[in-house]
Amino acid sequence: LGTGKVVISNNISTYWKNYPGILQMTESRLENDNLPALFSHVINHLSEYNSRQQQQQRIEFAKQFLYKNQVSKIEQYLFDLKVK
């Protein structure tokens, strides 16, 4: 995701529910029979899926989860625990 290029995946419920459109996923979490068709569709429309706007969206999404940001979140959680 950090490169911004399209990612094709089986269904990952956390991404499906909370971050729609970040990954190109099958609709069902329980079966992946549609994965080859999804892969073919994305590959045949690669210029759309890798448009500058879509790539920038993925890069911005990935930046939220950089290590330094995660460490800052953990520090804040620990601070909040001390205050309570």
Side-chain angles (χ1 to χ4, degrees):
L1 290 174
T3 66
K5 300 298 183 186
V6 66
V7 175
I8 304 168
S9 174
N10 62 318
N11 187 290
I12 302 169
S13 57
T14 299
Y15 284 93
W16 184 264
K17 293 175 188 173
N18 300 320
Y19 311 106
I22 291 296
L23 303 176
Q24 296 307 309
M25 295 181 281
T26 57
E27 289 189 28
S28 173
R29 185 171 179 259
L30 303 175
E31 78 180 59
N32 291 316
D33 293 345
N34 295 333
L35 193 56
L38 174 63
F39 186 83
S40 179
H41 174 78
V42 172
I43 293 302
N44 288 320
H45 298 88
L46 205 52
S47 61
E48 296 168 36
Y49 285 98
N50 279 338
S51 70
R52 187 175 303 223
Q53 179 185 6
Q54 296 247 356
Q55 287 185 44
Q56 193 58 41
Q57 256 185 317
R58 291 184 199 106
I59 291 168
E60 292 304 315
F61 174 79
K63 283 181 181 179
Q64 297 175 60
F65 301 98
L66 293 172
Y67 285 115
K68 67 179 184 172
N69 295 344
Q70 298 301 72
V71 170
S72 295
K73 285 181 189 178
I74 293 168
E75 287 174 340
Q76 186 61 49
Y77 290 138
L78 293 174
F79 177 78
D80 292 345
L81 285 174
K82 282 183 180 181
V83 172
K84 290 180 181 183

